[in-house]
Amino acid sequence: WLPPRGRIIALVLLNMLLTVIIYADLIYFRYFQDMISIPVLTQAGQVSSLGDSIASLLGWADIWIFIDWLLIVPVAVYSIFRKRHKRDIALSFARPSKLRKMMLRLSLSLIIFASGLTLVFVPVTYAQRTWAVGLFTGNWWNMSLYNVTGVIGFHGYDLYRYAEDHWLHDNKLPEDQIQEAKQWFEDRGNVRKQLEDDSMFGRYKGANVIMIQLEAFQNFLIGQKINGQEVTPNMNKLLEESMYFKNFYHQTAQGRTSDADLAANISLQPLPSGSVFIRFAQNTFDSMSAMLKDNGYETRVFHAYDGGFWNRNAMYSTMSYDKFYSKKSYTIDEPLGWSLGDRSFFQQSVDLMLSEQQPFYSFLISLSSHHPYKLAASTQTLDVGDFKGTIFGDYLEAAHYVDDSLGDLINRLKAEHLWDKSIFLFYGDHDNSIKEWEPFEKFLGKPLSELDRMNVLKQVPLIVHLPDGAKAGTYSQVGGQMDLTPTVLHLLGISSADKTMVGTPLVTDNPLEGKKVVFRNGGYTDGKVFYMPADDFIAEHAKCQDASTGQALALTACKGGAEEARQELIASDRVIEHDLIKNFRSQPDIEK
């Protein structure tokens, strides 16, 4: 559709643009093991952090990426500026008409465009229907998209995805809905404010905080034995001097590990589709790391895997961590599973902690108990009996290894005189994705009711050790991952009353009356009832059960709580999808 010289200019510019994009992706990947995306570009710190290392990311072999420029640029310049000779005048009937030229160009354009679409969409559609099912709805890593769509397809989809969330739709909520969300969070903040009269508020002011997120670690493992051997001996021993919350629940959805991170460190509900870390990494959040940083803490996050996985590089910049130690910060001296074994990961992380100024907040994300749980024979020290060679047996082996690694970590913290100066807590991030119930029932030695199965799926351990070992014991009150940040802030004496958070503190003199744990599907439990909405979304098909016995109750017993759960999810979704925290900060408090 362009004149001859215009075609040459356009082709050269497209060539140079694609070369720059590919090379930028390459450089960014060398540092972050991820591709540049729109959310990354909105995080200035992400790109600027390359500055100090840019020289180390370049190589002489990279010249080959630009080698075609030596040919196309001079040819383009020559073609553009060379003197054109006038064509011989031909008879008018020998020249094609303008209409014919237009039809020819239109036909060729449509053929080429259709061919391009076919080459892009056919393999992508095939992948999406076969081995990459759910790729575009539950995406967890830009690389997974890049490997299917290619460079142009990835950046095109990334732009579309960002536009869909931020530009294509009217993302502005009506003012009344903004005020409803603001009011909901102010009411929840007032609950936390009232608890500041509690004796535990500020009792450990200035203590370090070490929080660990254990991969796929479920609560049913605690205290269990197999063939006379404890599955979690170190955790069991730790219960003697720590707080153990036996009715603690994960609150994750499609975002899995990233949702657990979101809930634990930002205290908001996950989204019904996709991961907040992927979709809204550029938003404003009230994160624990930012609040602790404002109160003089060094804040670090540790995870021995690629920094681009779950878009952590961008999200941790948003969350205001001082430093993210990803896989490139560790020596892989104990290769195990997906990356570095937890034993070495914990020890190397302590080495890094020792370089931090106290007080510090260290958030560690483990990896060794990741599906499919295969460990090297040298690390298998648990006799799983009949479960040997099954995925359930492998899971028990992995959990036992993680427990052993955790025991070594605790001993190291004691040796380095950090144990008595730190609030130490850990929790599981989500279930283990094992779908068959037979091995669970065999391991636990009993048939599992529907409620039992729900608790096995949803419950993860929470163990909190306070610097002086206070309040040790087992607690039956319900709690969820969204309560972790409010709990830590409460113990440190840092008010979260004015923050946009869902959770409430768990470590208080007395359990909070009426406390509910709300799940992404609209279900909830308060320790008295357990409400499970119907899969078909028909209210009459929902189930309301006694939380202790599993006995069916009338739906009216759960109706009020179900509505409260719905309001919590609506308020949290509005905050995330419409980036309302910035709006809240610019508005005066609603008059009560």
Side-chain angles (χ1 to χ4, degrees), residues 498-563:
D498 62 340
K499 302 304 179 183
T500 305
M501 297 179 178
V502 170
T504 55
L506 295 176
V507 182
T508 54
D509 290 333
N510 298 296
L512 180 64
E513 189 69 27
K515 168 72 178 177
K516 295 179 180 62
V517 177
V518 175
F519 307 115
R520 178 64 257 183
N521 66 352
Y524 79 91
T525 182
D526 59 3
K528 298 177 182 178
V529 300
F530 202 113
Y531 173 73
M532 291 178 280
D535 293 336
D536 58 10
F537 303 106
I538 299 175
E540 292 76 16
H541 295 171
K543 295 180 180 178
C544 181
Q545 297 177 303
D546 184 289
S548 299
T549 66
Q551 180 182 355
L553 303 174
L555 284 177
T556 53
C558 293
K559 185 176 180 181
E563 177 58 25

Side-chain angles (χ1 to χ4, degrees), residues 431-451:
D431 64 84
N432 60 19
S433 301
I434 298 176
K435 305 302 182 183
E436 299 78 19
W437 286 108
E438 182 182 355
F440 287 92
E441 293 181 333
K442 183 177 180 180
F443 176 73
L444 295 172
K446 63 177 183 178
L448 298 176
S449 67
E450 183 180 26
L451 181 61

Side-chain angles (χ1 to χ4, degrees), residues 220-254:
F220 75 89
L221 297 166
I222 304 296
Q224 293 295 329
K225 292 183 178 181
I226 184 167
N227 293 321
Q229 190 176 358
E230 291 179 292
V231 178
T232 59
N234 291 289
M235 294 183 190
N236 299 342
K237 182 179 179 181
L238 187 59
L239 299 188
E240 300 171 5
E241 53 177 319
S242 305
M243 303 179 72
Y244 167 49
F245 293 85
K246 68 176 185 178
N247 291 315
F248 185 79
Y249 296 84
H250 78 81
Q251 296 173 281
T252 66
Q254 285 186 355

Side-chain angles (χ1 to χ4, degrees), residues 119-390:
L119 290 171
V120 170
F121 284 103
V122 168
V124 170
T125 302
Y126 174 77
Q128 192 179 4
R129 290 178 178 175
T130 53
W131 59 272
V133 173
L135 176 66
F136 294 95
T137 55
N139 174 245
W140 57 92
W141 194 14
N142 287 330
M143 281 305 301
S144 59
L145 283 173
Y146 200 91
N147 289 336
V148 172
T149 63
V151 57
I152 302 175
F154 168 76
H155 288 291
Y157 178 74
D158 177 58
L159 180 61
Y160 163 78
R161 180 173 57 186
Y162 187 84
E164 183 77 10
D165 284 335
H166 301 278
W167 301 333
L168 296 181
H169 302 295
D170 183 5
N171 206 37
K172 183 171 176 57
L173 272 180
E175 187 61 30
D176 62 325
Q177 293 185 20
I178 294 175
Q179 293 305 320
E180 285 174 5
K182 188 172 191 286
Q183 183 68 68
W184 191 94
F185 280 101
E186 286 191 352
D187 291 345
R188 185 55 57 89
N190 287 336
V191 173
R192 294 193 296 270
K193 181 67 176 178
Q194 292 168 12
L195 291 172
E196 291 178 8
D197 293 333
D198 183 86
S199 69
M200 297 303 293
F201 183 77
R203 180 167 172 174
Y204 301 97
K205 183 178 179 65
N208 301 316
V209 179
I210 302 172
M211 185 163 78
I212 304 176
Q213 180 169 292
L214 296 178
E215 173 64 35
F217 212 98
Q218 294 184 243
N219 192 52
F220 75 89
L221 297 166
I222 304 296
Q224 293 295 329
K225 292 183 178 181
I226 184 167
N227 293 321
Q229 190 176 358
E230 291 179 292
V231 178
T232 59
N234 291 289
M235 294 183 190
N236 299 342
K237 182 179 179 181
L238 187 59
L239 299 188
E240 300 171 5
E241 53 177 319
S242 305
M243 303 179 72
Y244 167 49
F245 293 85
K246 68 176 185 178
N247 291 315
F248 185 79
Y249 296 84
H250 78 81
Q251 296 173 281
T252 66
Q254 285 186 355
R256 301 291 278 173
T257 296
S258 70
D259 283 350
D261 195 336
L262 172 85
N265 284 286
I266 294 178
S267 192
L268 289 175
Q269 286 279 356
L271 293 174
S273 176
S275 165
V276 174
F277 275 41
I278 298 290
R279 295 179 57 192
F280 296 100
Q282 73 290 334
N283 279 16
T284 299
F285 298 102
D286 288 329
S287 68
M288 175 152 65
S289 53
M291 294 182 67
L292 293 183
K293 189 173 179 178
D294 289 343
N295 283 270
Y297 277 69
E298 292 277 343
T299 59
R300 314 285 176 93
V301 57
F302 306 74
H303 183 48
Y305 199 59
D306 295 329
F309 201 71
W310 285 123
N311 201 32
R312 285 188 172 100
N313 288 315
M315 191 64 185
Y316 289 156
S317 176
T318 293
M319 294 166 71
S320 298
Y321 281 104
D322 289 315
K323 178 72 175 179
F324 172 26
Y325 295 106
S326 62
K327 185 175 182 179
K328 61 188 178 64
S329 301
Y330 290 85
T331 301
I332 310 300
D333 54 5
E334 187 196 13
L336 192 66
W338 279 38
S339 180
L340 179 66
D342 281 353
R343 191 187 312 279
S344 179
F345 166 64
F346 289 148
Q347 295 301 315
Q348 291 188 56
S349 295
V350 174
D351 293 338
L352 295 168
M353 281 184 219
L354 293 174
S355 66
E356 298 176 22
Q357 178 182 342
Q358 298 188 43
F360 60 74
Y361 170 47
S362 294
F363 177 51
L364 288 72
I365 305 169
S366 79
L367 194 58
S368 294
S369 50
H370 198 292
H371 192 278
Y373 315 114
K374 284 286 187 182
L375 299 183
S378 59
T379 60
Q380 297 177 16
T381 59
L382 182 69
D383 179 11
V384 297
D386 295 340
F387 294 116
K388 191 70 174 178
T390 68

